[in-house]
Amino acid sequence: MRAIRQARRRVRGRWGRRPPRTPGPLLAVLGCLPGLAAVAALALCARGVEHAATAALAARNGHPPRPVTAHTAARPRIVPRSAWLTGLTRRPQPPPRYDDKVVAVFVHHTDSPNTYDCADAPRIIRSLYEGQTGGRDWDDIGYNFLVDRCGTLYEGRAGGVGRPVTGAHTQGFNHRTAGVAALGTFTAGVPVPQPMVDAIAALTAWKLGLSGIDPRAEVRLTSSNSHSRYAAGVTAALPALAGHKDGYMTSCPGAALTARLPEIRRTAARLQGRTGPMFTGTP
């Protein structure tokens, strides 16, 4: 019993207050245990009572404990880079750069013809790569992902589709974001194929789910370049699923695709299993 009393004094000193009173029958049981076992059992009991008391107090104050729900989505099928790099003379390329996570997805269009056969998508992506690494002297294609009108997703920039690769798609806001480019031109009045819309939603749900981000929310991003809509160093609240024009002075991804972004946000949230109100936090 001396060990029990000493343990209670240590618990009281650690918490700064008297621990909850241990019931008499429990003390009787503890008295039959060896000294160290009794100490351990008493500490576990005290912590359990303290946890229950905290939960009860939170409930009385109108703040019941909320269960933590993981809002993730299945990874969609993504065609690897090798599908469009075949037969291409690659330019020297530095190692990929990474951020800590992806909290936003920017949607683009490639401003290229819409009347293509989906089997020709790898050639179109290869042409984009050659233009960006040749004419613009970039180290790689800027977009992390691309999607054709049939809804096929392609890996763009190197570094691993499941990793937070720093892209080159939205000047000023390439960090902690991913860029997906829709093959085609989607100005006002141009139909946006539903398979393309659905594929962007699936990609967004999966990619943002890795960081626990609600696709309907706003997130806080800090501009790294004053040529964007915000001066370098300014932190802006932007949609977690944004159009290119939200971060840069452009009409991309076109009025027609921009008009579909609310639908894409709702679909992506549903794919994450979010059935309640929008999460309003700003990571």
Side-chain angles (χ1 to χ4, degrees):
M1 292 301 291
R2 178 179 299 174
I4 295 173
R5 287 193 294 271
Q6 290 174 346
R8 292 188 64 180
R9 284 197 293 271
R10 283 197 295 270
V11 171
R12 179 180 179 181
R14 179 180 178 184
W15 288 347
R17 61 183 184 274
R18 181 179 298 277
R21 184 176 181 84
T22 306
L26 179 58
L27 283 174
V29 173
L30 293 174
C32 299
L33 295 175
L36 290 178
V39 171
L42 180 61
L44 288 173
C45 175
R47 290 180 184 177
V49 173
E50 175 73 8
H51 178 76
T54 301
L57 179 61
R60 285 198 301 271
N61 290 337
H63 302 289
R66 295 188 302 174
V68 177
T69 303
H71 291 290
T72 57
R75 170 178 161 174
R77 178 178 178 270
I78 301 171
V79 178
R81 280 167 60 92
S82 57
W84 55 266
L85 278 173
T86 302
L88 182 66
T89 301
R90 307 185 199 182
R91 294 171 60 85
Q93 187 171 311
R97 298 180 296 278
Y98 297 96
D99 291 299
D100 60 329
K101 58 183 176 180
V102 169
V103 301
V105 172
F106 279 95
V107 179
H108 307 257
H109 68 170
T110 56
D111 203 21
S112 53
N114 293 343
T115 55
Y116 57 87
D117 190 298
C118 290
D120 203 29
R123 182 196 63 78
I124 297 172
I125 298 172
R126 186 160 54 246
S127 177
L128 291 168
Y129 171 88
E130 290 173 329
Q132 293 180 353
T133 59
R136 300 185 183 182
D137 201 30
W138 293 3
D139 60 0
D140 194 1
I141 192 169
Y143 312 115
N144 300 95
F145 305 94
L146 302 100
V147 57
D148 68 19
R149 63 187 185 87
C150 294
T152 302
L153 288 161
Y154 290 85
E155 176 186 13
R157 197 168 182 84
V161 296
R163 302 186 66 184
V165 179
T166 306
H169 52 85
T170 305
Q171 193 169 47
F173 294 101
N174 290 314
H175 291 286
R176 306 186 94 193
T177 70
V180 54
L183 297 182
T185 302
F186 299 101
T187 50
V190 175
V192 184
Q194 190 62 42
M196 176 180 279
V197 169
D198 293 340
I200 296 173
L203 176 70
T204 300
W206 167 65
K207 198 67 179 174
L208 294 185
L210 297 176
S211 301
I213 303 297
D214 188 331
R216 304 165 296 177
E218 284 189 338
V219 296
R220 300 187 67 81
L221 295 169
T222 301
S223 173
S224 63
N225 192 312
S226 293
H227 292 294
S228 74
R229 286 195 180 275
Y230 301 87
V234 171
T235 298
L238 297 173
L241 175 67
H244 185 187
K245 68 185 186 68
D246 289 314
Y248 184 69
M249 290 73 72
T250 178
S251 61
C252 178
L257 186 48
T258 298
R260 303 295 296 272
L261 294 183
E263 172 192 344
I264 294 173
R265 294 183 187 111
R266 291 191 299 270
T267 302
R270 187 171 64 251
L271 290 173
Q272 286 186 352
R274 297 181 186 271
T275 57
M278 181 183 72
F279 171 69
T280 55
T282 54

